[in-house]
């Protein structure tokens, strides 16, 4: 095989000697590619049977057999969950196979924020206070579709992990002096919070703080992995601050090269 990938490290050995350690990682990369392809193929193959099952469940549930209604409702809920899992797996493998920067399209933030508000209201069903603040007054540059899926996952989590009566706030604002002319999209909640020990691993696929709470909440376990990948593709930084019993803040920091004036024409709207 002609393609060989080396991973190299320079290690100080003595005062004027360095060691160059080269490792052949070609096999590792090939295995990683096989894993990705496998997950993508399985997810893709699961789509059709799931659509069929879902379609027939809808047909059966016509009220003719009232004693079956609760069971059918549960089957529908679970098949919807499976469908969401498949969609999330496909999104992740699409993101993983994209190396380098995503589309450089203008992403209009005013419609993006109203879409997020709509989604938050639908998920919360009146159980939380929802606030959207837009003081940045600029747009972003990147892939509107991927950015929307990242922000939308953060909003969904904020609602899922905040008991009724809590507050969920989305802020789009100018960043601090550490990121001059950059912007932050921040999703904060007054929910359960995340113990510090879990934070380093929280964006891993299927990593969960409390398995039972997360299962009940209806998430797929892939939300934050998607967020991490989308932000990486945009060279943006995810900062998580959390306090158990008080709530969490998920802040996406975008540097100035991802920012564009809002009045420039041609910005696309999210779905
Ligand atoms: P899930 O589908 O389980 O929500 P995610 O990848 O979106 O998967 O999140 C991983 C885990 O991180 C969740 O199971 C939950 O334990 C924790 N988590 C995510 N967002 C929050 C939040 N806003 N508040 C508290 N815990 C959170």
């Amino acid at each position: 095989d002609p393609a060989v990938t080396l991973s190299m490290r320079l290690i100080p050995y003595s005062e004027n000697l360095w060691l160059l350690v080269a490792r052949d990682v070609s096999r590792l990369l090939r295995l990683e590619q096989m894993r990705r392809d496998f997950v993508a193929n399985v997810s893709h193959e699961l789509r059709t049977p799931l659509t069929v099952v879902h379609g027939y469940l809808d047909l059966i549930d016509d009220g003719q057999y009232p004693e079956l209604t609760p069971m059918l409702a549960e089957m529908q809920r679970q098949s919807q969950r499976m469908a969401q899992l498949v969609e999330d797996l496909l999104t992740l493998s699409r993101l993983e196979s994209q190396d380098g920067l995503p589309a450089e399209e203008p992403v209009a933030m005013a419609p993006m924020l109203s879409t997020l508000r709509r989604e938050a209201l639908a998920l919360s069903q009146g159980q939380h206070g929802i606030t959207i603040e837009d003081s940045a007054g600029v747009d972003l540059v990147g892939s509107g579709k991927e950015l929307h899926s990242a922000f939308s996952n953060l909003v969904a989590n904020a609602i899922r992990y905040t008991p009724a009566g809590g507050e969920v706030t989305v802020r789009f604002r100018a960043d601090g002096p550490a990121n001059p002319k950059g912007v932050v999209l921040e999703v904060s909640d007054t929910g359960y919070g995340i113990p510090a020990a879990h934070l380093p691993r929280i964006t891993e696929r299927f990593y969960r703080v409390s398995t039972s709470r997360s299962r009940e909440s209806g998430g797929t376990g892939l939300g934050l992995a998607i967020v991490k990948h989308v932000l990486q593709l945009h060279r943006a930084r995810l900062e998580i601050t959390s306090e158990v019993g008080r709530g969490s803040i998920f802040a996406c920091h975008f540097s100035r090269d991802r920012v564009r004036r809002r009045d420039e024409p041609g910005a696309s709207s999210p779905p």
Side-chain angles (χ1 to χ4, degrees):
D1 186 354
V4 171
T5 312
L6 295 178
S7 152
M8 300 208 255
R9 232 156 48 112
L10 208 49
I11 304 169
Y13 184 69
S14 67
E15 208 175 309
N16 43 21
L17 273 183
W18 290 72
L19 276 184
L20 177 66
V21 181
R23 209 157 64 97
D24 179 0
V25 290
S26 326
R27 210 173 106 79
L28 214 67
L29 289 180
R30 265 200 306 276
L31 282 174
E32 177 63 17
Q33 188 58 47
M34 278 167 71
R35 180 194 64 78
R36 279 182 204 166
D37 291 348
F38 177 75
V39 173
N41 290 340
V42 171
S43 315
H44 198 77
E45 292 303 322
L46 282 173
R47 243 185 188 169
T48 315
L50 270 172
T51 313
V52 173
V53 169
H54 206 71
Y56 280 127
L57 279 173
D58 271 343
L59 267 183
I60 300 171
D61 190 20
D62 58 358
Q64 239 184 323
Y65 310 97
E67 68 277 18
L68 288 186
T69 302
M71 284 177 253
L72 286 170
E74 182 59 13
M75 285 164 84
Q76 259 158 348
R77 214 173 65 84
Q78 296 296 346
S79 75
Q80 212 139 40
R81 213 171 128 189
M82 231 192 291
Q84 187 58 53
L85 182 59
V86 165
E87 287 315 308
D88 281 0
L89 282 169
L90 284 170
T91 302
L92 254 186
S93 57
R94 190 181 67 237
L95 291 169
E96 282 179 334
S97 63
Q98 233 168 357
D99 13 67
L101 294 174
E104 296 280 306
E105 69 197 24
V107 180
M109 286 306 284
M112 171 81 82
L113 293 165
S114 16
T115 304
L116 292 177
R117 174 200 287 281
R118 233 185 11 255
E119 290 170 346
L121 289 171
L123 271 176
S124 160
Q125 306 205 310
Q127 308 221 324
H128 307 83
I130 313 270
T131 311
I132 310 274
E133 287 175 21
D134 178 10
S135 62
V138 293
D139 284 336
L140 288 176
V141 178
S143 158
K145 185 174 158 217
E146 316 293 17
L147 286 171
H148 171 253
S149 90
F151 300 155
S152 165
N153 270 304
L154 291 179
V155 170
N157 280 348
I159 291 189
R160 274 192 207 121
Y161 302 109
T162 302
E167 294 287 328
V168 170
T169 308
V170 179
R171 269 190 203 98
F172 186 47
R173 57 169 175 84
D175 206 350
N179 181 19
K181 300 207 173 140
V183 289
V184 194
L185 188 129
E186 193 177 85
V187 180
S188 55
D189 64 61
T190 59
Y192 305 116
I194 304 159
H198 291 279
L199 284 181
R201 298 194 56 195
I202 199 95
T203 58
E204 287 174 19
R205 270 168 274 194
F206 298 117
Y207 188 86
R208 282 157 158 178
V209 175
S210 146
T211 322
S212 57
R213 181 183 284 159
S214 303
R215 287 253 164 73
E216 270 166 38
S217 75
T220 61
L222 295 171
L224 289 180
I226 291 176
V227 172
K228 183 178 81 177
H229 273 91
V230 170
L231 293 187
Q232 260 169 15
L233 283 173
H234 289 80
R235 301 216 197 291
R237 188 169 62 86
L238 177 66
E239 181 195 13
I240 310 173
T241 322
S242 191
E243 206 179 319
V244 174
R246 304 207 58 158
S248 314
I249 306 174
F250 287 77
C252 316
H253 297 266
F254 294 89
S255 63
R256 61 192 296 177
D257 58 320
R258 292 276 143 202
V259 173
R260 124 194 239 288
R261 284 212 343 256
R262 195 166 279 186
D263 53 1
E264 287 171 54
S268 74
S269 301

